[in-house]
Amino acid sequence: DTILAYAQSRHLTAREIDVLLLLAEGRNVPYIAERFVVSENTVKSHVRHIYEKCDFHDRQELLDALEDIR
């Protein structure tokens, strides 16, 4: 999977990759929090780390990049 290879190249943790894949599906923070049985703040921390490691500034930039990767 090319998104997985990209995520690994950016040194994302396993959980960050899980969150990234759900974001790529268009899922929101409350959904992801419920899915992984964690707080929304925990998910937001993962999202912030993904943005930092991948040099994204917002959700649209992330989605555009993932679309290009596919």
Side-chain angles (χ1 to χ4, degrees):
D1 183 35
T2 53
I3 292 177
L4 182 58
Y6 173 79
Q8 291 171 335
S9 76
R10 293 300 190 145
H11 307 289
L12 298 185
T13 66
R15 181 58 84 193
E16 289 167 354
I17 292 170
D18 292 339
V19 171
L20 177 68
L21 293 172
L22 289 176
L23 290 172
E25 292 177 5
R27 301 299 186 169
N28 62 18
V29 169
Y31 176 91
I32 296 169
E34 186 175 313
R35 172 94 179 255
F36 295 130
V37 193
V38 296
S39 74
E40 289 185 21
N41 283 334
T42 298
V43 175
K44 289 176 185 177
S45 289
H46 290 314
V47 172
R48 188 175 64 252
H49 294 149
I50 292 166
Y51 284 13
E52 289 170 0
K53 291 178 180 182
C54 298
D55 196 30
F56 298 139
H57 301 97
D58 58 35
R59 177 79 51 100
Q60 191 59 55
E61 194 173 341
L62 177 147
L63 293 175
D64 291 344
L66 295 180
E67 188 175 309
D68 290 344
I69 290 167
R70 288 187 178 142

